[in-house]
Amino acid sequence: MSESMTTSECGQNSPGQRTVYSLCGMCAVRCPLAVTVKDGAVAWIQGNPNDPALGASLCAKGGAGQSFQQDDERPHSPLIRTGARGAGQWRRASWDEALTYIADKVQETIAEFGTRGIALSDRGGPFTDLTRTFTQALGSPNYVNHDASCASNVYNAARSLFGFPHSRLVLDLKRAKHLVLYGRNIAESLMVKEAKSFMAAVANGLQVTYIDPRATITASKASRYWQIRPNSDYALNLALIHEILRLELYDKEFVARHVTGLEELRAAVATTTPDWQVEHTGISAEAVRELVQDIAAAAPQVIFHPGWMTARHKQSFYVSRSALILNVLMGNLEVPGGLLLAKTPEQCGRASLKRLQDRCEKVSTPRADGAGDVHPSWDPAIGVLHQLYAAMETAQPYGIGAYFIYRHDPLTAMPDAEAIKRAFDHLKLIVAIDVRYSETAWYADVILPESTFLERANILGQVQGAVPSLIMRDQAVTPRFDSRPAWWIFREILRRLGRGAALDFERIEDIWDYQLEGVGVTVAEMRSQGVVTLADAPQLTPRDQLTFPTPSGKIELTSALLTQAGLPSVPPYSAKTAPSGADFYLLFGRAATLTHGQSLNNPLLNEIAPAQELWIHPDRAAALGIADRALVEINGGGAYSGQLRAKVTPWIHPETVFMLHGYGATVPAATRAVGFGVADQRLQHGKLYEFDPAGGGCALTETIVHVRPVAAAGGAA
Ligand SMILES: Nc1nc2c(c(=O)[nH]1)N[C@H]1C(S)=C(S)[C@@H](COP(=O)(O)OP(=O)(O)OC[C@H]3O[C@@H](n4cnc5c(=O)[nH]c(N)nc54)[C@H](O)[C@@H]3O)O[C@H]1N2
Ligand SMILES: Nc1nc2c(c(=O)[nH]1)N[C@H]1C(S)=C(S)[C@@H](COP(=O)(O)OP(=O)(O)OC[C@H]3O[C@@H](n4cnc5c(=O)[nH]c(N)nc54)[C@H](O)[C@@H]3O)O[C@H]1N2
Ligand code: SF4
Ligand SMILES: [Mo]
């Protein structure tokens, strides 16, 4: 991350030069940007200094934004498929032709399946009012975000406990004394603001316990590192809870006032002692007892991060849930140095952005994925993507005919591309709205090129935080190709279907004016700052006034929602078997300079992309005859396999191998990425419909792969 010039040093006032406030689009974190535009071209990109937590900092990917905008290897106009799906045969089309083609297929879908036969998935975040409005205006309940393979277990675990998702919990790292991370690789899997406050806090003495089968860069910043057995964190947490309750180290006043189900929790952890967990996690009982003493000494300035990558197996909902319970026992909610509750503008005496969704009728049809209905513990606000795919495949509970995919690449983001394609083959229409040739776009019927983030404006976004804020992405430069912004694309489709009322705005400024009605902020103010905060400083709710939107109004250790779903609130730990011989769990993660599958074709990021290596423990490597740097073959039990170099290291647990995600692209038009490395998601063979029943999240980290050395001739380093 680079600190750089202030906006005025950018030369805002020089002739031919201006600053446009935008949001980085190189990953879904969307850091605020100040873009210097000179003579109609992007001259400089940096963080927006009006966001004090970010300052001018960006990560390497953000810094490569200009290179992305300048890259020709992206769709230049709408494209309509002419050959078989995925064959890569396209004809260029005008916008009118492509949109009319789409509208006709949607009409066919409605005739056969009704409006509920239309679905849309996207990448979540602060702009989903647009995609939700589009789906709702079409009369469909089937808006789904990407979370089934990201955070849905964490999200729904928080919902089962507090009544709200984990995104309402703000980690007050700067004032915390002890942070416990379960594979949350803050230093590499970046959110720039969080990484900056983490580094500042570590420099100020924050104690960090980092738990991961693999030692990451974040582990190198920690005061304690545990190489835990993969997928076993729940056993550790049950032992921590056992010990905290046994020693009465929890915040009794907070728990008595705000929590239900303590006695049920006590019963559930009666036998999960530090000694009990040793065989499951590989962590010594003494070490667990030591951590309990450390956190008790630091409480309530202790934070247990509910994780992301811990939340990727069939019991991972309960990893997150138990980590959140540990926070509750520490009594760290609404305490400086603990978990602050994000405030709505209304809680700060202000108004929220006016919703576009309120311009169309509510849809009461049940969702195809069963979220919130057949599955009460899955929040219908985000849905569960693989169950939408199951509906495509089985036409149960009803058939799906048309699928819009916006800013989302499920063939990279979800396991087992071949299984997904089988589900897609039941569709009449697949529309991908993307800025690149993604794996999914290449398999679509129509590709609609959105203008890149530097070439377009978005609807305004509202960001939750200790202080709520509004964010703007304004257009910095003119699009280089025949692309359009999303708001225009969705409006035009709706208009062609006679459903245009909800998005009947001529210009983005008209949408902004509508959104800002009653907020007390003008478009001019948004334009002059990019980020507008809606309160001066975080206001903590007095602890005796805390209420929670659960059925009981309290934090539910025994959850009414889970009970309704027929699921336990604190189930016993299900023991994991240790893979042996040539078998390993496959773990995966990120490089600091790459975003999922979308960066490897970026001219600059491709140049600095790290080699994709297979981390493997020396004992297991020796048994298989694999030397450091030797070429190995990895296979997930399906038709797909790949070869990469071994990184033989004790910093990975013997039961697992690890590789970076985002490699192994297949789209020939992305010439820098195609064939570069191995696709972990394609090794996750047979995993599309394996998930945690409580949270809906995919069981990605239960994938078993087989590893073998490649014969010496091909394997010479
Ligand atoms: N095997 C495996 N699977 C995983 C993961 C893993 O590590 N391993 N990670 C998981 C996680 S945490 C997540 S969040 C998901 C991420 O999965 P996705 O959300 O699919 O990934 P992204 O890379 O954010 O981008 C999705 C698509 O958005 C496009 N895009 C980028 N900017 C724009 C834009 O401005 N407009 C439009 N219209 N499109 C744009 C990109 O080109 C890309 O095709 O994958 C999950 N799946
Ligand atoms: N550079 C970069 N930054 C990103 C992204 C990106 O694509 N690139 N994506 C963003 C997104 S969408 C997300 S969701 C976040 C993800 O953020 P993280 O979840 O922090 O990131 P990952 O690198 O996917 O995984 C972190 C670690 O989880 C460990 N792990 C796997 N299984 C277990 C287990 O059973 N227990 C424990 N304790 N650890 C385990 C892995 O070994 C890995 O080191 O990153 C965000 N930031
Ligand atoms: S984390 Fe990096 S790539 Fe993502 S939005 Fe921020 S600067 Fe851009
Ligand atoms: Mo994610």
Side-chain angles (χ1 to χ4, degrees), residues 23-33 54 57-63 190-192 595:
L23 298 169
C24 179
M26 297 298 284
C27 88
V29 174
R30 301 170 174 101
C31 296
L33 284 187
L54 181 72
S57 306
L58 292 180
C59 76
K61 298 171 290 162
L190 293 172
M191 298 198 286
V192 173
T595 299

Side-chain angles (χ1 to χ4, degrees), residues 123 183-185 189-190 211-212 214 231 233 309 591 594:
R123 181 50 207 281
R184 172 69 191 105
N185 187 5
S189 302
L190 293 172
I211 305 162
D212 190 323
R214 174 181 79 109
N231 302 331
D233 306 65
M309 295 310 285
L594 299 174

Side-chain angles (χ1 to χ4, degrees), residues 23-24 27-31 120-133 143-147 150-151 155 165-167 191 308 353 355 357 381-382 406-408 458-464 469 471 473 515:
L23 298 169
C24 179
C27 88
V29 174
R30 301 170 174 101
C31 296
L120 177 144
S121 72
D122 74 4
R123 181 50 207 281
F127 302 125
T128 60
D129 190 21
L130 182 68
T131 38
R132 289 173 192 275
T133 301
Y143 164 85
V144 188
N145 83 1
H146 68 293
D147 265 322
C150 179
Y155 179 112
H166 69 303
S167 47
M191 298 198 286
W308 256 324
L353 288 178
R355 291 173 0 139
Q357 284 161 82
I382 62 169
Y406 172 65
R407 213 217 164 284
H408 189 202
N458 280 63
I459 66 168
L460 298 174
Q462 187 167 301
V463 180
Q464 306 197 67
S469 59
I471 49 171
R473 176 182 281 144
Q515 291 184 286

Side-chain angles (χ1 to χ4, degrees), residues 332-394:
N332 71 1
L333 259 67
E334 284 295 70
V335 170
L339 290 177
L340 310 183
L341 299 181
K343 301 293 178 301
T344 59
E346 286 71 14
Q347 287 171 306
C348 302
R350 303 291 296 264
S352 290
L353 288 178
K354 214 165 142 186
R355 291 173 0 139
L356 294 165
Q357 284 161 82
D358 294 339
R359 296 167 59 91
C360 43
E361 274 177 40
K362 290 209 161 46
V363 178
S364 54
T365 323
R367 298 177 55 91
D369 59 13
D373 163 17
V374 185
H375 302 283
S377 60
W378 303 353
D379 193 341
I382 62 169
V384 169
L385 191 58
H386 48 78
Q387 288 309 291
L388 176 69
Y389 294 170
M392 288 174 189
E393 201 159 355
T394 61

Side-chain angles (χ1 to χ4, degrees), residues 452-509:
T452 66
F453 69 98
L454 292 164
E455 302 172 320
R456 71 165 193 265
N458 280 63
I459 66 168
L460 298 174
Q462 187 167 301
V463 180
Q464 306 197 67
V467 171
S469 59
L470 303 180
I471 49 171
M472 172 184 267
R473 176 182 281 144
D474 201 356
Q475 181 175 346
V477 293
T478 310
R480 292 183 53 229
F481 303 120
D482 189 13
S483 60
R484 295 286 187 278
W487 67 269
W488 185 95
I489 296 173
F490 288 124
R491 182 194 71 185
E492 289 302 307
I493 297 172
L494 289 181
R495 279 185 176 169
R496 278 166 179 75
L497 288 160
R499 292 170 181 266
L503 289 180
D504 209 6
F505 299 94
E506 284 317 306
R507 305 169 315 149
I508 189 68
E509 285 82 357

